[in-house]
Amino acid sequence: MSDAEWAVVRDLLPVPGWLSGCGGRPEGYCHRQMIDAVRYLVDNGIKWRAMPADFPPWPRVYAFFARWRDTGLVTELHDRLREAVRAGEGRGADPSAGVVDSQSVKADATVTFGSRGFDAGKKINGRKRHLLTDTLGLLLEVVP
């Protein structure tokens, strides 16, 4: 992550309790390291356990990610970055139009029958997910 990208993201992250005087144990890793690790994981499509040694241990990275996901920080970060991109393009923060698309994703036999079906148009046995994007192609919503 470049310094310019970090400057945008840094203010969106929560302040650890020990820094704000609420007590608690200091965190062992920098938030920037954690975001870099999650970005690497998403970019390369690797498993958590395959995290390179250059990053913090994968259980710590996953714990940070899970905490941020459960508190809604990941969604908040995504929404704010999308609004910044839209503002950079000279658009309003909220899109006035959207594009709905669906994808059929093949599912293995290990996936339960309750969560998969058959797409007769594409002749694919699997799951279907629906995506809503704005006119710039930025993701608004995913419905599995």
Side-chain angles (χ1 to χ4, degrees):
M1 176 179 291
S2 69
D3 290 338
E5 291 172 333
W6 176 243
V8 171
V9 174
R10 179 183 52 225
D11 296 334
L12 303 177
L13 297 175
V15 176
W18 64 274
L19 278 177
S20 60
C22 296
R25 182 176 168 188
E27 296 174 347
Y29 299 98
C30 172
H31 287 174
R32 185 172 181 172
Q33 288 178 311
M34 294 300 174
I35 290 179
D36 282 340
V38 172
R39 287 180 63 188
Y40 181 86
L41 179 111
V42 171
D43 182 48
N44 293 300
I46 63 171
K47 297 178 181 178
W48 286 103
R49 290 180 185 262
M51 188 78 64
D54 297 345
F55 296 111
W58 75 266
R60 294 303 318 138
V61 176
Y62 181 76
F64 268 77
F65 172 75
R67 185 174 60 207
W68 291 344
R69 180 197 59 208
D70 294 344
T71 60
L73 181 67
V74 173
T75 304
E76 177 77 18
L77 184 61
H78 176 265
D79 292 344
R80 287 189 184 186
L81 293 175
R82 184 185 64 238
E83 290 171 5
V85 170
R86 289 186 58 82
E89 292 287 325
R91 306 279 184 111
D94 294 323
S96 59
V99 179
V100 178
D101 192 13
S102 65
Q103 293 177 322
S104 297
V105 181
K106 290 182 182 178
D108 198 337
T110 58
V111 177
T112 61
F113 285 109
S115 67
R116 67 179 170 148
F118 185 74
D119 184 355
K122 296 180 182 176
K123 296 184 173 103
I124 292 178
N125 183 13
R127 294 180 175 169
K128 199 161 199 172
R129 62 180 169 211
H130 303 276
L131 306 170
L132 176 64
T133 63
D134 65 1
T135 54
L136 294 175
L138 303 173
L139 188 65
L140 296 172
E141 190 72 37
V142 177
V143 179

